[in-house]
Amino acid sequence: MFTWSPSDMPGIDLNIICHRLHVNPACKPVAQKRRNFAPERVAIIEAEIDKLLAAGFIEEVSYSEWLANVVLVAKQEKGKWRVCVDYTDLSKACPKDNFPLPRIDQLVDSTSGNQLLSFMDAYSGYNQIMMHGDDKAKTSFIIERGTYCYKVMPFGLKNAGATYQRLVNKIFKEQIGKTMEVYVDDMLVKAPKRADHIGNLAESFNLLRQYCMKLNPSKCTFGVSSGILGIPSHATRYRGTPTSNQSHSRDEIALHGERNTKSDGQSSGPQPIPLEINQQVQTILQSFEERTKRQMG
């Protein structure tokens, strides 16, 4: 259920969902001319391509009619770059998928009145969905050493968010609005009563294991106590470590805003989560991890 590397992701079964492009047949394929990069940036691009190949996310391709360029986007960390693919031309040829995404204001309202919340984030979520076989070649891109296409749904592809929302709605159809809220690859498990939270987590874990969806443990937060107006007042990380000096995860900030402050403008700070909740969360996580290891032999 948890993974620390792309190699541990089997991917969602193609019979459950895959990403299709539905390219308009009237649109002529576009093969972009290869862009030139400075040698140091070529090295960055090729290092990322090696990672994608090792993870099984891409493969080499020949005679592709559609061809896009890679672009380097600066990360917030100084000197770090993100390698992206310019799918502008391909996106223009694809119709919009009007599958609805949840409304953020409704998600925020739904968290109020719950004693405990847990935030879960899928590991490289989009890449857990496979591309349809007929559409893989259309995701082709070019770099100095060759041409490649995606075997999995890449970030930046049109309608990728709608496809992912369709998947999570299918997986958690009985839980959404009751014990869970899901916005694309961000999942929230909630419980109006503290005593029910472990059972709700167990239910969501069972579904995650059933559909082979993997979580990123470094971005999951369990046992968040909801304060006034749904603002978290304390949290515990994956291993149940009290977060007295940690900032809130982006999931909490997205759903609740910045951490609560006192009237004098100073942060009220998170309080240690009750020991019994830590122990229960760790016990259930350990049980699922041990079961997974036994099944893998």
Side-chain angles (χ1 to χ4, degrees):
M1 187 178 67
F2 292 94
T3 187
W4 283 261
S5 68
S7 60
D8 296 329
M9 295 194 312
I12 306 297
D13 192 319
L14 283 166
N15 292 320
I16 296 171
I17 199 167
C18 65
H19 187 64
R20 298 216 61 170
L21 296 176
H22 299 288
V23 173
N24 185 344
C27 293
K28 183 179 179 180
V30 177
Q32 297 177 5
K33 183 180 179 182
R34 180 172 62 85
R35 294 174 186 165
N36 294 316
F37 293 94
E40 61 272 15
R41 296 196 175 185
V42 170
I44 294 172
I45 293 170
E46 293 191 348
E48 181 64 21
I49 296 305
D50 287 339
K51 291 179 184 178
L52 293 173
L53 285 169
F57 289 174
I58 64 174
E59 62 185 6
E60 290 191 71
V61 66
S62 302
Y63 305 109
S64 177
E65 294 181 312
W66 288 92
L67 206 55
N69 272 286
V70 298
V71 292
L72 287 175
V73 180
K75 293 184 178 181
Q76 290 184 345
E77 303 172 71
K78 189 175 181 180
K80 299 290 185 179
W81 296 89
R82 187 185 309 279
V83 179
C84 305
V85 180
D86 179 10
Y87 285 124
T88 304
D89 294 318
L90 182 60
S91 294
K92 290 178 181 178
C94 298
K96 181 182 178 182
D97 185 345
N98 291 308
F99 191 84
L101 296 179
R103 287 175 51 184
I104 295 296
D105 59 330
Q106 291 180 344
L107 291 181
V108 173
D109 291 342
S110 71
T111 64
S112 63
N114 292 281
Q115 290 189 347
L116 284 179
L117 307 170
S118 286
F119 301 86
M120 302 185 296
D121 190 271
Y123 189 100
S124 193
Y126 285 16
N127 298 151
Q128 296 192 45
I129 296 178
M130 308 300 290
M131 288 296 302
H132 189 277
D134 293 341
D135 291 325
K136 286 194 300 183
K138 297 182 180 70
T139 67
S140 297
F141 58 92
I142 186 170
I143 64 172
E144 284 210 2
R145 74 184 191 194
T147 54
Y148 302 85
C149 71
Y150 271 92
K151 299 160 62 178
V152 299
M153 184 174 71
F155 294 93
L157 204 56
K158 188 173 183 178
N159 299 322
T163 295
Y164 201 95
Q165 188 68 46
R166 184 178 281 108
L167 169 66
V168 292
N169 282 11
K170 180 182 294 187
I171 295 176
F172 303 111
K173 61 182 178 181
E174 300 298 330
Q175 287 71 37
I176 292 175
K178 300 173 185 176
T179 61
M180 288 188 71
E181 301 297 340
V182 185
Y183 188 88
V184 193
D185 60 347
D186 291 319
M187 294 160 278
L188 180 150
V189 179
K190 58 186 182 178
K193 296 181 180 179
R194 184 179 295 265
D196 296 334
H197 195 57
I198 296 300
N200 294 348
L201 275 175
E203 187 177 52
S204 64
F205 287 173
N206 276 325
L207 289 168
L208 289 168
R209 294 183 71 252
Q210 178 183 338
Y211 286 89
C212 296
M213 181 178 284
K214 300 297 183 180
L215 299 178
N216 185 342
S218 67
K219 294 184 179 180
C220 293
T221 307
F222 295 99
V224 175
S225 180
S226 182
I228 299 175
L229 298 179
I231 298 176
S233 58
H234 54 266
T236 178
R237 284 290 173 185
Y238 168 63
R239 288 298 181 185
T241 306
T243 57
S244 58
N245 295 315
Q246 291 179 341
S247 61
H248 288 283
S249 69
R250 65 180 178 86
D251 309 274
E252 298 172 53
I253 294 173
L255 286 173
H256 301 286
E258 297 294 339
R259 60 195 301 185
N260 197 10
T261 57
K262 295 180 180 179
S263 58
D264 59 3
Q266 295 180 349
S267 171
S268 61
Q271 302 298 318
I273 196 164
L275 179 61
E276 67 273 13
I277 298 297
N278 276 344
Q279 292 173 336
Q280 290 174 345
V281 170
Q282 291 204 51
T283 297
I284 195 170
L285 291 175
Q286 184 177 4
S287 173
F288 278 103
E289 287 179 335
E290 290 175 351
R291 190 186 310 172
T292 300
K293 289 179 181 178
R294 288 197 300 269
Q295 290 180 349
M296 294 176 66

